[in-house]
Coordinates of all heavy atoms in Angstrom, one line a residue:
M1 N -15.1 -4.0 0.0 CA -14.6 -3.9 1.3 C -13.2 -3.2 1.3 O -12.4 -3.4 0.5 CB -14.4 -5.3 1.9 CG -13.8 -5.3 3.3 SD -13.7 -6.9 4.1 CE -15.3 -7.1 4.7
W2 N -13.1 -2.4 2.3 CA -11.9 -1.5 2.4 C -10.9 -2.3 3.3 O -11.2 -3.1 4.1 CB -12.2 -0.2 3.1 CG -13.0 0.7 2.1 CD1 -14.3 0.7 2.1 CD2 -12.5 1.7 1.3 NE1 -14.8 1.7 1.2 CE2 -13.7 2.3 0.7 CE3 -11.3 2.1 0.9 CZ2 -13.6 3.3 -0.3 CZ3 -11.2 3.1 -0.1 CH2 -12.4 3.6 -0.7
C3 N -9.6 -2.0 3.1 CA -8.6 -2.6 3.8 C -8.7 -2.4 5.3 O -8.5 -3.3 6.2 CB -7.2 -2.2 3.4 SG -5.8 -2.9 4.2
T4 N -9.1 -1.2 5.7 CA -9.3 -1.0 7.2 C -10.4 -1.9 7.8 O -10.2 -2.3 8.9 CB -9.7 0.5 7.4 OG1 -10.8 0.8 6.6 CG2 -8.5 1.4 7.2
D5 N -11.3 -2.2 7.0 CA -12.4 -3.3 7.5 C -11.7 -4.5 7.8 O -12.1 -5.2 8.8 CB -13.5 -3.4 6.4 CG -14.2 -2.2 6.1 OD1 -14.4 -1.4 7.2 OD2 -14.8 -1.9 5.0
I6 N -10.9 -5.0 6.9 CA -10.1 -6.3 7.0 C -9.2 -6.3 8.3 O -9.2 -7.2 9.1 CB -9.4 -6.6 5.8 CG1 -10.3 -6.9 4.6 CG2 -8.5 -7.9 6.1 CD1 -9.6 -7.0 3.3
V7 N -8.5 -5.2 8.5 CA -7.7 -5.0 9.6 C -8.5 -5.1 10.9 O -8.1 -5.7 11.9 CB -6.8 -3.7 9.5 CG1 -6.1 -3.4 10.8 CG2 -5.9 -3.9 8.4
R8 N -9.6 -4.4 10.9 CA -10.4 -4.3 12.2 C -11.0 -5.7 12.4 O -10.9 -6.2 13.6 CB -11.6 -3.4 12.0 CG -11.2 -1.9 12.2 CD -12.6 -1.0 12.2 NE -12.1 0.3 11.9 CZ -12.5 1.0 10.8 NH1 -13.3 0.4 10.0 NH2 -12.1 2.1 10.6
E9 N -11.4 -6.5 11.5 CA -11.9 -7.7 11.6 C -10.9 -8.7 12.2 O -11.2 -9.7 12.8 CB -12.5 -8.3 10.3 CG -13.9 -7.7 10.0 CD -14.4 -8.2 8.7 OE1 -13.8 -9.1 8.0 OE2 -15.4 -7.7 8.2
N10 N -9.7 -8.5 11.8 CA -8.6 -9.4 12.2 C -7.8 -8.9 13.5 O -6.6 -9.2 13.7 CB -7.7 -9.6 11.0 CG -8.2 -10.5 10.0 OD1 -8.8 -11.5 10.3 ND2 -8.3 -10.0 8.8
H11 N -8.3 -7.9 14.2 CA -7.8 -7.4 15.4 C -6.5 -6.8 15.2 O -5.5 -7.0 15.9 CB -7.7 -8.5 16.5 CG -9.1 -9.1 16.7 ND1 -10.1 -8.5 17.4 CD2 -9.5 -10.4 16.4 CE1 -11.1 -9.3 17.5 NE2 -10.8 -10.5 16.9
G12 N -6.3 -6.0 14.1 CA -5.1 -5.1 13.9 C -4.2 -5.9 13.0 O -3.1 -5.5 12.7
K13 N -4.5 -7.1 12.4 CA -3.5 -7.9 11.7 C -3.9 -7.9 10.2 O -5.1 -7.9 9.9 CB -3.4 -9.3 12.2 CG -2.8 -9.4 13.6 CD -2.8 -10.8 14.1 CE -2.3 -10.8 15.5 NZ -2.3 -12.2 16.1
L14 N -2.9 -8.0 9.3 CA -3.2 -8.0 7.9 C -2.2 -8.9 7.3 O -1.0 -8.8 7.5 CB -3.0 -6.6 7.3 CG -3.2 -6.6 5.7 CD1 -4.7 -6.9 5.4 CD2 -2.8 -5.2 5.2
A15 N -2.7 -10.0 6.7 CA -1.8 -11.1 6.1 C -1.5 -10.6 4.7 O -2.2 -10.1 3.9 CB -2.5 -12.4 6.0
V16 N -0.1 -10.7 4.4 CA 0.3 -10.5 3.0 C 1.1 -11.6 2.5 O 1.8 -12.3 3.4 CB 1.2 -9.2 2.9 CG1 0.4 -7.9 3.3 CG2 2.4 -9.3 3.9
K17 N 1.1 -11.9 1.2 CA 1.8 -13.0 0.7 C 3.1 -12.5 -0.1 O 2.9 -11.6 -1.0 CB 1.0 -13.8 -0.3 CG 1.7 -14.9 -0.8 CD 0.7 -15.8 -1.8 CE 1.6 -16.9 -2.4 NZ 0.9 -18.0 -2.7
I18 N 4.2 -13.0 0.3 CA 5.4 -12.6 -0.4 C 5.6 -13.7 -1.6 O 5.6 -14.8 -1.3 CB 6.7 -12.7 0.6 CG1 6.4 -11.9 1.8 CG2 7.9 -12.4 -0.1 CD1 6.2 -10.5 1.7
P19 N 5.7 -13.1 -2.7 CA 6.0 -14.0 -3.9 C 7.2 -14.9 -3.7 O 8.1 -14.5 -3.2 CB 6.2 -13.1 -5.1 CG 5.6 -11.7 -4.6 CD 5.8 -11.7 -3.1
T20 N 7.0 -16.1 -4.1 CA 8.2 -17.1 -4.1 C 9.2 -16.7 -5.1 O 10.4 -17.1 -5.1 CB 7.7 -18.5 -4.3 OG1 7.0 -18.7 -5.5 CG2 6.9 -18.9 -3.1
Q21 N 8.8 -16.0 -6.2 CA 9.7 -15.6 -7.3 C 10.4 -14.3 -7.0 O 10.2 -13.3 -7.7 CB 9.0 -15.6 -8.6 CG 8.4 -16.9 -9.1 CD 7.0 -17.1 -8.4 OE1 6.5 -16.2 -7.8 NE2 6.4 -18.3 -8.7
I22 N 11.1 -14.3 -5.9 CA 11.8 -13.1 -5.5 C 13.2 -13.5 -5.0 O 13.4 -14.5 -4.4 CB 11.1 -12.3 -4.5 CG1 11.7 -10.9 -4.2 CG2 10.9 -13.0 -3.2 CD1 10.8 -10.0 -3.4
N23 N 14.2 -12.7 -5.4 CA 15.6 -13.1 -4.9 C 15.7 -13.1 -3.4 O 15.1 -12.4 -2.7 CB 16.6 -12.0 -5.4 CG 16.8 -12.1 -6.9 OD1 16.6 -13.1 -7.6 ND2 17.1 -11.0 -7.5
N24 N 16.5 -14.1 -2.9 CA 16.9 -14.1 -1.6 C 17.5 -12.8 -1.1 O 18.2 -12.2 -2.0 CB 17.8 -15.3 -1.3 CG 17.1 -16.6 -1.5 OD1 15.9 -16.7 -1.4 ND2 17.9 -17.6 -1.7
G25 N 17.3 -12.4 0.1 CA 18.0 -11.2 0.5 C 17.2 -10.5 1.6 O 16.1 -11.0 2.1
E26 N 17.6 -9.4 2.0 CA 17.0 -8.5 3.0 C 16.2 -7.4 2.3 O 16.5 -6.8 1.3 CB 18.1 -7.8 3.9 CG 19.0 -8.8 4.7 CD 18.1 -9.5 5.7 OE1 17.3 -9.0 6.4 OE2 18.5 -10.8 5.7
Y27 N 15.0 -7.2 2.8 CA 14.1 -6.3 2.2 C 13.3 -5.5 3.3 O 13.2 -6.0 4.4 CB 12.9 -7.0 1.4 CG 13.5 -7.7 0.2 CD1 13.9 -9.0 0.2 CD2 13.5 -7.0 -1.1 CE1 14.4 -9.7 -0.9 CE2 14.0 -7.7 -2.2 CZ 14.4 -8.9 -2.1 OH 14.9 -9.6 -3.3
L28 N 12.9 -4.3 2.9 CA 12.1 -3.6 3.8 C 10.6 -3.6 3.2 O 10.3 -3.2 2.1 CB 12.5 -2.0 3.8 CG 11.7 -1.1 4.7 CD1 11.8 -1.5 6.1 CD2 12.1 0.3 4.5
L29 N 9.8 -4.2 4.0 CA 8.4 -4.4 3.6 C 7.6 -3.3 4.2 O 7.6 -3.0 5.4 CB 7.8 -5.7 4.0 CG 6.3 -6.0 3.8 CD1 6.1 -6.1 2.3 CD2 5.8 -7.2 4.5
R30 N 7.0 -2.5 3.3 CA 6.2 -1.3 3.8 C 4.7 -1.5 3.4 O 4.4 -1.8 2.3 CB 6.7 -0.1 3.1 CG 6.0 1.2 3.6 CD 6.6 2.5 3.0 NE 6.0 3.6 3.5 CZ 5.6 4.7 2.9 NH1 5.8 4.7 1.5 NH2 5.1 5.8 3.5
T31 N 3.9 -1.4 4.5 CA 2.5 -1.3 4.2 C 2.0 0.1 4.8 O 2.7 0.7 5.5 CB 1.7 -2.4 5.0 OG1 1.9 -2.2 6.4 CG2 2.2 -3.7 4.5
E32 N 0.8 0.4 4.4 CA 0.3 1.7 5.0 C -1.2 1.8 4.8 O -1.7 1.2 3.9 CB 1.0 2.9 4.4 CG 0.5 3.4 3.0 CD 1.4 4.6 2.5 OE1 1.9 5.3 3.4 OE2 1.4 4.7 1.3
I33 N -1.8 2.5 5.6 CA -3.2 2.9 5.6 C -3.1 4.4 5.2 O -2.4 5.2 5.7 CB -3.9 2.8 7.0 CG1 -3.8 1.3 7.5 CG2 -5.3 3.3 6.9 CD1 -4.8 0.4 6.7
I34 N -4.0 4.7 4.1 CA -4.1 6.1 3.7 C -5.6 6.5 4.1 O -6.6 6.0 3.7 CB -4.0 6.2 2.2 CG1 -2.7 5.7 1.8 CG2 -4.2 7.7 1.9 CD1 -2.5 5.6 0.4
A35 N -5.7 7.4 5.1 CA -6.9 8.0 5.6 C -7.4 9.0 4.4 O -6.8 9.9 4.2 CB -6.8 8.7 6.9
L36 N -8.7 8.7 4.0 CA -9.1 9.4 2.8 C -10.3 10.4 3.3 O -10.9 11.1 2.4 CB -9.7 8.5 1.7 CG -8.6 7.5 1.3 CD1 -9.3 6.5 0.4 CD2 -7.6 8.3 0.5
H37 N -10.7 10.5 4.5 CA -11.7 11.3 5.0 C -11.6 12.9 4.5 O -12.6 13.5 4.3 CB -12.0 11.2 6.4 CG -10.9 11.6 7.3 ND1 -9.9 10.7 7.6 CD2 -10.6 12.6 8.1 CE1 -9.0 11.3 8.3 NE2 -9.4 12.4 8.7
N38 N -10.4 13.3 4.4 CA -10.2 14.7 4.0 C -9.5 14.7 2.6 O -9.0 15.8 2.1 CB -9.3 15.4 4.9 CG -10.1 15.9 6.1 OD1 -11.3 16.1 6.2 ND2 -9.5 15.9 7.3
A39 N -9.4 13.6 1.9 CA -8.6 13.5 0.7 C -9.2 14.2 -0.5 O -8.7 14.2 -1.7 CB -8.3 12.0 0.4
R40 N -10.4 14.8 -0.4 CA -11.0 15.5 -1.5 C -10.2 16.8 -1.8 O -10.4 17.5 -2.8 CB -12.5 15.7 -1.3 CG -12.7 16.6 -0.1 CD -14.3 16.7 0.2 NE -14.5 17.4 1.4 CZ -14.5 16.9 2.6 NH1 -14.2 15.7 2.7 NH2 -14.8 17.6 3.7
T41 N -9.3 17.2 -0.9 CA -8.4 18.4 -1.2 C -7.0 17.9 -1.2 O -6.6 17.1 -0.4 CB -8.6 19.4 0.0 OG1 -10.0 19.7 0.2 CG2 -7.7 20.6 -0.1
A42 N -6.3 18.3 -2.2 CA -4.9 17.9 -2.4 C -4.0 18.2 -1.2 O -4.2 19.3 -0.6 CB -4.3 18.6 -3.7
G43 N -3.2 17.3 -0.8 CA -2.4 17.4 0.3 C -3.1 17.0 1.7 O -2.4 17.2 2.6
E44 N -4.3 16.6 1.7 CA -5.0 16.4 2.9 C -5.2 14.9 3.3 O -5.7 14.6 4.3 CB -6.4 17.1 2.9 CG -6.3 18.6 2.9 CD -5.6 19.1 4.1 OE1 -5.8 18.7 5.3 OE2 -4.8 20.1 4.0
A45 N -4.8 14.0 2.3 CA -4.8 12.6 2.7 C -3.9 12.4 3.9 O -2.8 13.0 3.8 CB -4.4 11.7 1.5
Q46 N -4.1 11.4 4.8 CA -3.3 11.2 5.8 C -2.7 9.8 5.7 O -3.4 8.8 5.4 CB -4.0 11.2 7.2 CG -4.6 12.6 7.3 CD -5.5 12.7 8.7 OE1 -5.5 11.8 9.5 NE2 -6.3 13.8 8.7
F47 N -1.3 9.6 6.0 CA -0.6 8.4 5.7 C -0.2 7.9 7.0 O 0.4 8.5 7.9 CB 0.6 8.7 4.8 CG 0.3 9.3 3.6 CD1 0.0 10.6 3.3 CD2 0.1 8.4 2.4 CE1 -0.2 11.2 2.1 CE2 -0.4 9.0 1.1 CZ -0.5 10.3 1.0
Y48 N -0.4 6.6 7.1 CA 0.0 5.8 8.4 C 0.8 4.6 7.9 O 0.2 3.5 7.8 CB -1.3 5.4 9.2 CG -2.0 6.6 9.7 CD1 -3.1 7.2 8.9 CD2 -1.7 7.2 10.9 CE1 -3.8 8.3 9.3 CE2 -2.4 8.4 11.3 CZ -3.4 8.9 10.5 OH -4.2 10.0 10.9
P49 N 2.1 4.7 7.7 CA 2.9 3.7 7.2 C 3.4 2.7 8.3 O 3.5 3.1 9.5 CB 4.1 4.4 6.6 CG 4.2 5.7 7.3 CD 2.8 6.0 7.7
N50 N 3.7 1.5 8.0 CA 4.3 0.6 8.9 C 5.4 -0.1 8.0 O 5.2 -0.4 6.8 CB 3.3 -0.5 9.3 CG 2.3 0.1 10.3 OD1 2.5 0.3 11.4 ND2 1.1 0.3 9.7
C51 N 6.5 -0.5 8.7 CA 7.6 -1.1 8.0 C 8.0 -2.3 8.8 O 8.0 -2.3 10.0 CB 8.8 -0.1 7.8 SG 8.4 1.3 6.6
A52 N 8.5 -3.3 8.1 CA 9.2 -4.5 8.7 C 10.4 -4.9 7.9 O 10.3 -5.0 6.6 CB 8.1 -5.6 8.8
Q53 N 11.4 -5.2 8.6 CA 12.6 -5.7 7.9 C 12.4 -7.3 7.8 O 12.2 -7.9 8.7 CB 13.9 -5.5 8.7 CG 15.2 -5.9 8.1 CD 15.6 -5.1 6.8 OE1 15.3 -3.9 6.9 NE2 16.1 -5.7 5.8
I54 N 12.5 -7.8 6.5 CA 12.2 -9.1 6.4 C 13.5 -9.8 5.7 O 14.1 -9.1 4.8 CB 10.9 -9.5 5.5 CG1 11.0 -8.9 4.2 CG2 9.8 -9.0 6.3 CD1 9.9 -9.3 3.2
S55 N 13.7 -11.1 5.9 CA 14.7 -11.8 5.2 C 14.0 -12.9 4.4 O 13.4 -13.7 4.9 CB 15.7 -12.4 6.2 OG 16.7 -13.1 5.6
V56 N 14.3 -12.9 3.1 CA 13.7 -13.9 2.1 C 14.8 -14.9 1.9 O 15.9 -14.6 1.5 CB 13.3 -13.2 0.9 CG1 12.8 -14.3 -0.2 CG2 12.2 -12.2 1.1
T57 N 14.4 -16.2 2.2 CA 15.4 -17.3 2.0 C 14.6 -18.5 1.2 O 13.4 -18.5 1.3 CB 15.9 -17.9 3.3 OG1 14.9 -18.3 4.1 CG2 16.7 -16.8 4.0
G58 N 15.3 -19.3 0.6 CA 14.8 -20.5 -0.1 C 13.8 -20.1 -1.3 O 13.0 -20.9 -1.7
A59 N 14.0 -19.0 -1.8 CA 13.1 -18.5 -2.8 C 13.7 -18.9 -4.3 O 14.9 -19.2 -4.4 CB 12.8 -17.0 -2.8
T60 N 12.8 -18.9 -5.3 CA 13.3 -19.0 -6.6 C 13.7 -17.6 -7.0 O 13.6 -16.6 -6.3 CB 12.3 -19.6 -7.6 OG1 11.1 -18.8 -7.5 CG2 12.0 -21.0 -7.2
F61 N 14.2 -17.4 -8.2 CA 14.8 -16.1 -8.5 C 13.9 -15.3 -9.3 O 13.2 -15.7 -10.3 CB 16.2 -16.2 -9.3 CG 17.1 -16.9 -8.4 CD1 17.5 -18.2 -8.4 CD2 17.8 -16.0 -7.5 CE1 18.4 -18.7 -7.5 CE2 18.8 -16.5 -6.6 CZ 19.1 -17.9 -6.6
G62 N 13.8 -14.0 -9.0 CA 13.0 -13.0 -9.7 C 13.4 -11.7 -9.2 O 14.0 -11.6 -8.1
S63 N 13.3 -10.7 -9.9 CA 13.7 -9.3 -9.5 C 12.7 -8.2 -9.7 O 12.5 -7.7 -10.8 CB 14.9 -8.9 -10.3 OG 16.0 -9.8 -10.1
P64 N 11.9 -8.0 -8.6 CA 10.9 -7.0 -8.7 C 11.6 -5.6 -8.8 O 12.7 -5.4 -8.2 CB 10.1 -7.2 -7.4 CG 10.9 -7.9 -6.5 CD 11.9 -8.7 -7.3
E65 N 10.8 -4.7 -9.4 CA 11.5 -3.4 -9.4 C 11.4 -2.8 -8.1 O 10.4 -3.0 -7.3 CB 10.7 -2.5 -10.4 CG 11.4 -1.1 -10.6 CD 10.7 -0.4 -11.8 OE1 10.0 -1.0 -12.6 OE2 11.0 0.8 -11.9
L66 N 12.5 -2.1 -7.6 CA 12.5 -1.5 -6.3 C 12.2 0.0 -6.4 O 12.5 0.6 -7.5 CB 13.9 -1.7 -5.7 CG 14.3 -3.1 -5.5 CD1 15.8 -3.3 -5.0 CD2 13.4 -4.0 -4.7
Y67 N 11.5 0.5 -5.4 CA 11.1 2.0 -5.4 C 11.6 2.7 -4.2 O 11.6 2.0 -3.0 CB 9.5 2.1 -5.5 CG 9.1 1.5 -6.8 CD1 8.7 0.1 -6.9 CD2 8.9 2.3 -7.9 CE1 8.2 -0.3 -8.0 CE2 8.4 1.7 -9.1 CZ 8.1 0.4 -9.1 OH 7.5 -0.1 -10.3
P68 N 12.0 3.9 -4.2 CA 12.3 4.7 -3.0 C 11.0 4.9 -2.2 O 9.9 5.0 -2.7 CB 12.9 6.0 -3.5 CG 12.2 6.1 -4.8 CD 12.0 4.7 -5.5
V69 N 11.2 5.0 -0.9 CA 10.0 5.2 0.0 C 9.5 6.7 -0.2 O 8.3 6.9 -0.3 CB 10.4 5.0 1.4 CG1 9.2 5.4 2.4 CG2 10.7 3.5 1.7
S70 N 10.5 7.6 -0.4 CA 10.0 9.1 -0.5 C 9.7 9.3 -1.9 O 10.2 8.7 -2.9 CB 11.1 10.0 0.0 OG 12.2 9.8 -0.8
G71 N 8.7 10.1 -2.1 CA 8.4 10.5 -3.5 C 7.6 9.5 -4.3 O 7.5 9.6 -5.5
I72 N 7.0 8.6 -3.6 CA 6.3 7.5 -4.3 C 4.9 7.8 -4.8 O 4.4 7.3 -5.7 CB 6.3 6.1 -3.4 CG1 6.1 5.0 -4.2 CG2 5.1 6.2 -2.4 CD1 6.4 3.6 -3.5
Y73 N 4.4 8.9 -4.2 CA 3.1 9.3 -4.5 C 3.1 10.7 -5.1 O 3.9 11.5 -4.6 CB 2.1 9.3 -3.4 CG 1.9 8.0 -2.7 CD1 2.2 7.9 -1.3 CD2 1.5 6.9 -3.5 CE1 2.0 6.6 -0.7 CE2 1.3 5.6 -2.8 CZ 1.5 5.5 -1.5 OH 1.4 4.4 -0.8
N74 N 2.1 11.1 -5.9 CA 1.8 12.4 -6.3 C 0.6 12.9 -5.6 O -0.4 12.1 -5.6 CB 1.6 12.4 -7.9 CG 1.3 13.8 -8.5 OD1 0.5 14.5 -7.8 ND2 1.7 14.0 -9.7
P75 N 0.5 14.0 -5.0 CA -0.6 14.4 -4.2 C -1.9 14.6 -5.0 O -3.0 14.7 -4.4 CB -0.2 15.8 -3.6 CG 1.0 16.3 -4.4 CD 1.7 15.1 -5.0
T76 N -1.9 14.6 -6.3 CA -3.1 14.8 -7.1 C -3.4 13.5 -7.8 O -4.3 13.5 -8.7 CB -3.0 16.0 -8.1 OG1 -1.8 15.7 -8.9 CG2 -2.7 17.3 -7.3
E77 N -2.6 12.4 -7.7 CA -3.0 11.1 -8.4 C -4.2 10.5 -7.8 O -4.5 10.7 -6.6 CB -1.8 10.2 -8.4 CG -1.6 9.5 -7.0 CD -0.4 8.5 -7.2 OE1 -0.7 7.4 -7.6 OE2 0.7 9.0 -6.8
P78 N -4.9 9.8 -8.6 CA -6.2 9.1 -8.1 C -5.8 8.1 -7.0 O -4.7 7.5 -7.0 CB -6.7 8.3 -9.3 CG -6.1 9.0 -10.4 CD -4.8 9.5 -10.0
G79 N -6.5 8.0 -6.0 CA -6.2 7.2 -4.8 C -5.5 8.0 -3.7 O -5.6 7.7 -2.5
I80 N -5.0 9.2 -4.0 CA -4.5 10.1 -3.0 C -5.4 11.3 -3.0 O -5.8 11.8 -1.8 CB -3.1 10.6 -3.3 CG1 -2.1 9.4 -3.4 CG2 -2.5 11.7 -2.3 CD1 -1.9 8.7 -2.1
L81 N -5.7 11.8 -4.1 CA -6.9 12.9 -4.2 C -8.1 12.2 -4.5 O -8.3 11.5 -5.6 CB -6.5 14.0 -5.3 CG -7.5 15.1 -5.4 CD1 -7.6 15.9 -4.1 CD2 -7.0 15.9 -6.6
F82 N -9.1 12.0 -3.5 CA -10.1 11.1 -3.7 C -11.3 11.6 -2.9 O -11.1 12.0 -1.8 CB -9.7 9.7 -3.2 CG -10.8 8.7 -3.2 CD1 -11.1 8.0 -4.3 CD2 -11.5 8.3 -2.0 CE1 -12.1 7.1 -4.4 CE2 -12.4 7.4 -2.0 CZ -12.8 6.8 -3.3
D83 N -12.5 11.6 -3.5 CA -13.7 12.0 -2.8 C -14.7 10.9 -2.9 O -15.4 10.7 -4.0 CB -14.2 13.4 -3.4 CG -15.4 13.9 -2.6 OD1 -15.9 13.3 -1.7 OD2 -15.7 15.1 -2.9
K84 N -14.9 10.3 -1.8 CA -15.8 9.1 -1.8 C -17.2 9.5 -2.0 O -18.0 8.8 -2.6 CB -15.7 8.5 -0.4 CG -16.5 7.1 -0.4 CD -16.3 6.4 1.0 CE -17.2 5.1 1.0 NZ -17.1 4.4 2.3
R85 N -17.5 10.8 -1.8 CA -18.9 11.3 -2.0 C -19.1 11.5 -3.4 O -20.3 11.7 -3.8 CB -19.1 12.4 -1.2 CG -19.2 12.2 0.4 CD -19.2 13.5 1.2 NE -17.8 14.1 1.0 CZ -17.2 14.7 2.0 NH1 -17.7 14.8 3.2 NH2 -15.9 15.1 1.8
K86 N -18.2 11.6 -4.2 CA -18.4 11.8 -5.7 C -17.9 10.6 -6.5 O -16.9 10.5 -7.1 CB -17.5 13.0 -6.2 CG -18.0 14.4 -5.6 CD -17.3 15.4 -6.2 CE -17.8 16.8 -5.6 NZ -16.9 17.8 -6.1
G87 N -18.7 9.6 -6.4 CA -18.5 8.2 -7.2 C -17.4 7.5 -6.6 O -16.5 6.9 -7.4
G88 N -17.2 7.5 -5.3 CA -16.2 6.6 -4.7 C -16.4 5.2 -4.6 O -15.7 4.5 -3.9
A89 N -17.3 4.7 -5.5 CA -17.4 3.1 -5.5 C -16.3 2.5 -6.0 O -16.0 1.4 -5.7 CB -18.6 2.8 -6.3
T90 N -15.5 3.1 -6.8 CA -14.2 2.5 -7.3 C -13.1 3.3 -6.8 O -13.1 4.5 -6.8 CB -14.1 2.5 -8.8 OG1 -14.3 3.8 -9.3 CG2 -15.3 1.6 -9.4
Y91 N -12.0 2.6 -6.5 CA -10.8 3.2 -5.9 C -9.6 2.7 -6.5 O -9.5 1.5 -6.6 CB -10.8 3.0 -4.3 CG -9.6 3.5 -3.7 CD1 -9.5 4.9 -3.4 CD2 -8.5 2.7 -3.3 CE1 -8.3 5.4 -2.9 CE2 -7.4 3.3 -2.6 CZ -7.3 4.7 -2.4 OH -6.2 5.2 -1.9
K92 N -8.7 3.6 -7.1 CA -7.5 3.2 -7.6 C -6.5 3.2 -6.6 O -6.2 4.2 -6.1 CB -7.2 4.0 -8.9 CG -5.9 3.6 -9.6 CD -5.5 4.5 -10.7 CE -4.2 4.1 -11.3 NZ -3.1 3.6 -10.6
I93 N -5.8 2.0 -6.3 CA -4.7 2.0 -5.3 C -3.5 2.9 -5.9 O -3.1 2.6 -7.0 CB -4.4 0.6 -4.9 CG1 -5.6 -0.1 -4.2 CG2 -3.1 0.6 -4.0 CD1 -5.3 -1.6 -4.1
P94 N -3.1 3.8 -5.2 CA -2.0 4.6 -5.6 C -0.6 3.9 -5.6 O -0.5 2.9 -4.9 CB -2.1 5.9 -4.7 CG -2.6 5.4 -3.5 CD -3.5 4.3 -3.8
G95 N 0.3 4.6 -6.2 CA 1.7 4.1 -6.2 C 2.0 3.1 -7.4 O 1.3 2.9 -8.3
P96 N 3.3 2.5 -7.2 CA 3.7 1.7 -8.3 C 2.9 0.4 -8.4 O 2.2 0.1 -7.5 CB 5.2 1.4 -7.9 CG 5.3 1.6 -6.4 CD 4.1 2.6 -6.1
P97 N 3.0 -0.3 -9.5 CA 2.3 -1.6 -9.6 C 2.7 -2.6 -8.6 O 4.0 -2.7 -8.3 CB 2.6 -2.0 -11.1 CG 3.8 -1.3 -11.4 CD 3.9 0.0 -10.6
V98 N 1.8 -3.5 -8.3 CA 2.1 -4.7 -7.4 C 2.9 -5.6 -8.3 O 2.7 -5.9 -9.4 CB 0.8 -5.3 -6.9 CG1 1.2 -6.5 -6.1 CG2 0.1 -4.3 -6.0
Y99 N 4.0 -6.2 -7.7 CA 4.9 -7.2 -8.4 C 4.1 -8.4 -8.7 O 3.4 -9.0 -7.8 CB 6.1 -7.5 -7.5 CG 7.0 -8.5 -8.1 CD1 7.6 -8.4 -9.3 CD2 7.2 -9.7 -7.4 CE1 8.4 -9.3 -9.9 CE2 8.0 -10.7 -7.9 CZ 8.6 -10.5 -9.1 OH 9.4 -11.5 -9.6
S100 N 4.1 -8.8 -9.9 CA 3.5 -10.0 -10.4 C 4.5 -10.8 -11.3 O 4.7 -10.4 -12.4 CB 2.2 -9.7 -11.1 OG 1.6 -10.8 -11.6
P101 N 5.1 -11.9 -10.7 CA 6.1 -12.6 -11.5 C 5.5 -13.2 -12.7 O 4.4 -13.5 -12.9 CB 6.6 -13.6 -10.5 CG 5.5 -13.7 -9.4 CD 4.8 -12.4 -9.5

């Protein structure tokens, strides 16, 4: 199942879990949909980002690595350059690794 299927089923909403092992503070939470219908050509994937400013309080301590928003993807990495018609049964989510405490 693709993320867009989940968003459609939930009427435009997507639930995400913020790890409890993260330092208290202000964070910019970024989610995005990557449209892959033209992604078989480098530079043709379409990005639809969403951001929310969140305040984390009452957490235990942990320090996930932080990444800049710009330059996070390479236009030829798997998941950005992608052709569903050529073995698209598996999809590698692009970008940095998901934080796992």
Side-chain angles (χ1 to χ4, degrees):
M1 177 175 276
W2 293 87
C3 181
T4 51
D5 297 327
I6 296 168
V7 171
R8 280 190 202 112
E9 287 177 4
N10 291 310
H11 307 286
K13 296 178 183 176
L14 180 65
V16 296
K17 181 175 175 150
I18 305 299
T20 57
Q21 298 86 1
I22 190 169
N23 289 334
N24 292 334
E26 300 294 317
Y27 292 88
L28 180 66
L29 176 66
R30 181 176 188 223
T31 63
E32 80 186 333
I33 299 287
I34 303 173
L36 300 172
H37 57 281
N38 287 329
R40 64 186 173 276
T41 304
E44 294 298 319
Q46 297 174 16
F47 301 87
Y48 298 92
N50 292 285
C51 294
Q53 183 73 35
I54 63 170
S55 180
V56 174
T57 61
T60 57
F61 294 98
S63 297
E65 189 167 347
L66 303 177
Y67 297 92
V69 174
S70 63
I72 204 166
Y73 301 125
N74 176 324
T76 59
E77 74 178 276
I80 300 296
L81 182 60
F82 178 79
D83 190 347
K84 186 176 180 182
R85 292 172 287 220
K86 292 183 180 179
T90 59
Y91 177 74
K92 181 183 180 321
I93 296 174
V98 174
Y99 175 63
S100 179

